[in-house]
């Protein structure tokens, strides 16, 4: 969808640096090239030169009229989500991304569209129907090109069903309807842990924790007030990089200033993390946060060496004693890139079971729902391969012995930070006794253990003699 009003404003703001948006077909062709979805294996200087390493979803798309920037675009589950945000000022020199407010608005809108479309992506008819409805929905979500409601799923798909603005002047725009019934609040803290482990002296392992607090508040009234508090155990590292939903009415500014970009010190805000808000009608993420936790949940060591025509592998995993030993699932996947199918496998596992994937290109070690009492498990084995075919996976980074083990796990009723919601601390200023349900979980996300016998891609390498 194009908004002439926004394009006119861009031309006014950008002046001589303005680059007009080309036709839809030309824009799509240029975007596919930029996203490496066409000519992936061909070196295109404007895209692949070392001076244009892009670490974000903000792209510069080459058009006949010049470089169109910023173009916010990402590829997810076979679909491309893209928009061109307005920059309210000159484009030369390019302003820092954090100063372009249209980027965060555009990202919120694209994520709202993805949330609306993605559940139907496996059903072609349903997907086609939803995409067809998007034009009408964008009229409501983004009138005249300014995102007002990024929760596309909460909107009505036809103009006949569009409700008038709330009669109650106190009802905020994000409460699209009112609830009738017994008050109840569901809160779920979901933490994801990313990890890169190398088991090498000159390389530091890295891990990061990202948390999201999801809420669903079924409460009567046009503008009910709710206060929710996040609690940490004593001496736990503080929450940082906190981003709150726009329905939050007030927070301590120090809470929002605590950033993981700076070393932890005594001045870092460490609570209480109290969030007063007027909830939307639908499910929403109240806040996001990070934390600098002292240890990763599972420590691992992976060694792979070639012995003639065979590969000899050893994997050792240890669950840290502070982690709850109760998994919904826990498994380690060991891929073998740029080789043929696994023809022969001899192995020994101390715990769990080992399976071979259908295409015979990776080992799947199902550890199960508990580590043994020692909290340690191990796998040793030898693998040999048949002749490689086109259907077997390849990878341009992981060649030779540069490979990894990737862990997948979920621990219910547990967070790595220790963060939890005290049900008694939830305050709802409405009649009746509300039902409060609180849950939490820890999920792995990009949890890699690299082969210590080979060089591996590194986040950073410290200067050690």
């Amino acid at each position: 969808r194009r908004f002439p009003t926004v394009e006119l404003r861009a031309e006014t703001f950008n002046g001589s640096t303005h680059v007009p948006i080309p036709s839809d077909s030309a824009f799509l062709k240029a975007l596919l090239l930029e996203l490496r979805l066409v000519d992936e294996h061909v070196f295109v200087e404007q895209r692949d030169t070392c001076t244009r390493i892009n670490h974000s979803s903000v792209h510069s798309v080459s058009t006949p009229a010049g470089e169109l920037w910023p173009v916010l675009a990402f590829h997810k589950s076979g679909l491309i989500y893209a928009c061109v945000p307005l920059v309210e000022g000159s484009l030369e020199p390019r302003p820092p991304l954090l100063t372009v407010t249209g980027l965060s608005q555009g990202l919120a809108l694209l994520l709202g569209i993805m949330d609306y479309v993605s559940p139907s992506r496996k059903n072609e008819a349903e997907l086609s129907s939803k995409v067809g409805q998007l034009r009408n929905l964008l009229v409501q979500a983004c009138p005249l090109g300014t995102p007002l409601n990024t929760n596309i799923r909460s909107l009505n798909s036809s103009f006949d069903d569009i409700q008038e603005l709330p009669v109650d002047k106190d009802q905020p725009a994000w409460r699209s309807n009112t609830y009738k019934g017994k008050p109840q609040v569901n809160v779920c803290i979901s933490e994801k842990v990313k990890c890169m482990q190398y088991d090498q002296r000159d390389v530091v392992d890295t891990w990061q924790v990202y948390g999201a607090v999801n809420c669903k508040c079924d409460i009567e009234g046009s503008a009910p007030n709710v206060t929710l508090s996040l609690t940490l155990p004593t001496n736990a590292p503080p929450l940082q990089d906190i981003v709150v939903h726009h329905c939050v009415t007030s927070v301590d500014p120090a809470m929002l200033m605590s950033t993981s970009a700076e070393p932890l010190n005594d001045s870092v805000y460490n609570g209480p993390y109290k969030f007063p808000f007027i909830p939307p009608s639908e499910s929403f993420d109240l806040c996001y946060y990070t934390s600098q936790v002292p240890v990763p949940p599972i420590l691992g060591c992976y060694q792979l060496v070639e012995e003639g025509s065979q590969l000899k592998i050893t994997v050792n995993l240890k669950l840290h004693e502070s982690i709850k030993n109760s998994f919904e699932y826990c498994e380690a996947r060991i891929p073998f890139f740029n080789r043929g199918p696994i023809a022969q496998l001899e192995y020994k596992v101390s715990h769990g079971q080992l399976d071979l994937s259908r295409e015979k290109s990776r080992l799947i070690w199902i550890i199960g729902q508990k580590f043994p009492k020692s909290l340690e498990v191990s796998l040793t084995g030898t693998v040999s391969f048949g002749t490689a075919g086109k259907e077997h996976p390849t990878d341009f980074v992981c060649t030779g012995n540069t490979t990894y083990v990737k862990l997948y796990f979920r621990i219910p009723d547990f967070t790595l930070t220790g963060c939890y919601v005290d049900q008694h601390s939830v305050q709802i200023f409405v009649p009746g006794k509300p039902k409060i349900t609180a849950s939490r979980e820890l999920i792995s996300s990009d949890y890699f253990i690299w082969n210590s016998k080979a060089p591996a891609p590194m986040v950073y390498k410290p200067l050690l003699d």
Side-chain angles (χ1 to χ4, degrees), residues 196-205 300-303 449-453:
M196 288 277 184
Q197 295 183 39
Y198 303 99
D199 191 34
Q200 294 185 14
R201 280 184 55 190
D202 61 339
V203 186
V204 176
D205 296 343
C301 171
Y302 176 36
Q303 294 185 346
I449 300 167
W450 291 90
N451 177 22
S452 62
K453 296 294 186 181

Side-chain angles (χ1 to χ4, degrees), residues 336-342 358-361 386-395:
F336 296 97
F337 297 116
N338 312 308
R339 305 175 189 271
I342 295 173
R358 183 178 298 176
E359 75 281 7
K360 298 184 178 181
S361 65
T387 305
K390 290 184 179 179
E391 71 278 8
H392 291 282
T394 59
D395 191 284

Side-chain angles (χ1 to χ4, degrees), residues 395-414:
D395 191 284
F396 297 105
V397 175
C398 300
T399 57
N401 291 354
T402 299
T403 185
Y404 58 79
V405 174
K406 189 173 183 182
L407 297 186
Y408 297 82
F409 58 82
R410 177 181 181 269
I411 307 178
D413 194 29
F414 180 81

